Amino acid sequence: MDESYSMRNTEKQVFMFSNAIVRKPGKSLIKGLTGANLGSPDYHKALDQHEIYVEVLEACGLTVKVLDPDESFPDSTFVEDAAVLTPLCAIITNPGAESRRGEVVEMKEVIEEYYTDIEEIRSPGTLEGGDVMMVGDHYYIGISERTNMMGAEQLIQILRQYGMDGSMVRLEEVLHLKTGVAYLENNNLAVCGEFLTSPEFIRFNKIVIPETESYAANCIWVNDHVLIPKGYPETKQKITDAGYSIKELDMSEFRKLDGGLSCLSLRFWK
Ligand code: CIR
């Protein structure tokens, strides 16, 4: 077992991410899936925002592998959905969105550079990484339009083989689980909308994100910083009050495609 991982469990120590994988948006981004009704993203603006995203991850201490754009998959900049990376193994997903299924082929090759233990979610199971929230060695899995029970069951089986575990959370209103909830370590959960009353999350200290700022519920903890989207003052105040150092990023173009901060990277420890 990975030494730092066992330390996490026995001493309740949070350990830091060392790496991230991202993919630059391609011009085909404008054809990405969306239910947002906010218009088409501006490709050049998206590229600039993505570049800053990478710089911020680097400023948080991560080594970032930047993949070239893949024009054949308009949503492929949202790399989070193609894999679930744990300290002990990587799981290649099987996206529920038909147009995104092929993204996993190249992602698997990239992940092979870092992991030897690689598992896969197989049809008819579907699973997207945006539906998977890691809390220590437990993974909450959203049952959504993209992730079905069979996909979630497969993931739980895999996690158990490696001494971890998972459980399912049903969602009705948002795209992915992490559209509405973010674990910020230290038992703190940023939470919005339908997840405020989820029995699964009763044990956490809740940082309640107001409905008017629901997009900001997709924020990410990166090595004691919390990255939040720019333009959400109440969220900024609440997370600052919880003791975190905040980094704000303009996410306007990715928001037009229902994409948030977590979706743009796979963050891990290799
Ligand atoms: C999609 O609908 O698949 C993309 N337009 C957005 C994916 C966002 N990913 C995520 O929340 N993990």
Side-chain angles (χ1 to χ4, degrees):
M1 184 178 283
D2 183 302
E3 198 178 296
S4 51
Y5 182 68
S6 58
M7 200 161 74
R8 178 186 182 116
N9 281 324
T10 53
E11 296 170 22
K12 294 280 175 244
Q13 227 174 321
V14 175
F15 66 99
M16 303 286 166
F17 291 120
S18 55
N19 285 71
I21 298 169
V22 303
R23 185 186 292 286
K24 271 191 191 182
K27 293 197 176 79
S28 64
L29 180 79
I30 55 166
K31 292 188 242 144
L33 298 171
T34 185
N37 218 6
L38 292 171
S40 208
D42 178 308
Y43 164 66
H44 293 286
K45 221 165 151 187
L47 266 187
D48 290 347
Q49 291 178 356
H50 194 266
E51 222 172 282
I52 293 169
Y53 181 85
V54 171
E55 284 168 17
V56 169
L57 290 184
E58 286 172 344
C60 293
L62 276 64
T63 301
V64 184
K65 183 176 186 77
V66 182
L67 306 176
D68 289 335
D70 185 346
E71 297 295 352
S72 42
F73 297 105
D75 284 301
S76 55
T77 191
F78 302 115
V79 288
E80 173 182 65
D81 294 318
V84 175
L85 302 183
T86 83
L88 301 174
C89 65
I91 299 104
I92 306 300
T93 66
N94 187 27
E98 194 74 44
S99 66
R100 302 199 57 188
R101 255 188 215 160
E103 288 177 29
V104 301
V105 176
E106 198 199 323
M107 187 52 78
K108 185 175 179 203
E109 287 165 19
V110 176
I111 285 170
E112 278 166 354
E113 294 170 25
Y114 299 93
Y115 281 84
T116 43
D117 289 307
I118 301 181
E119 310 289 342
E120 284 177 38
I121 303 298
R122 295 178 201 281
S123 294
T126 64
L127 185 118
E128 296 191 0
D131 276 318
V132 182
M133 181 174 76
M134 182 189 82
V135 177
D137 54 10
H138 190 91
Y139 292 72
Y140 291 92
I141 309 164
I143 303 301
S144 68
E145 280 187 13
R146 303 289 183 85
T147 296
N148 64 20
M149 301 257 300
M150 278 177 283
E153 276 159 11
Q154 287 179 36
L155 179 58
I156 292 170
Q157 280 305 103
I158 293 166
L159 292 168
R160 286 181 180 159
Q161 279 169 35
Y162 289 87
M164 301 175 279
D165 209 349
S167 57
M168 299 184 207
V169 182
R170 223 163 245 295
L171 53 117
E172 309 286 340
E173 289 162 22
V174 289
L175 176 65
H176 287 124
L177 177 66
K178 284 185 291 187
T179 311
V181 65
Y183 185 58
L184 304 181
E185 301 295 334
N186 306 309
N187 207 41
N188 292 329
L189 194 72
V191 58
C192 188
E194 63 184 300
F195 302 117
L196 283 168
T197 51
S198 300
E200 292 87 352
F201 300 138
I202 218 148
R203 71 176 178 92
F204 295 102
N205 306 320
K206 293 195 179 72
I207 301 172
V208 177
I209 309 299
E211 200 56 50
T212 48
E213 298 197 358
S214 60
Y215 179 69
N218 183 275
C219 50
I220 48 175
W221 178 94
V222 186
N223 298 353
D224 284 342
H225 302 281
V226 174
L227 279 47
I228 63 167
K230 203 172 247 170
Y232 299 90
E234 231 179 290
T235 302
K236 182 180 179 185
Q237 191 58 54
K238 286 188 171 190
I239 296 180
T240 304
D241 290 348
Y244 295 100
S245 139
I246 297 279
K247 291 184 187 283
E248 281 180 284
L249 289 92
D250 190 353
M251 289 290 290
S252 64
E253 302 317 294
F254 300 106
R255 185 180 174 213
K256 291 173 183 171
L257 296 175
D258 298 326
L261 285 158
S262 74
C263 324
L264 288 180
S265 62
L266 286 161
R267 304 163 297 283
F268 59 109
W269 319 254
K270 286 279 170 179

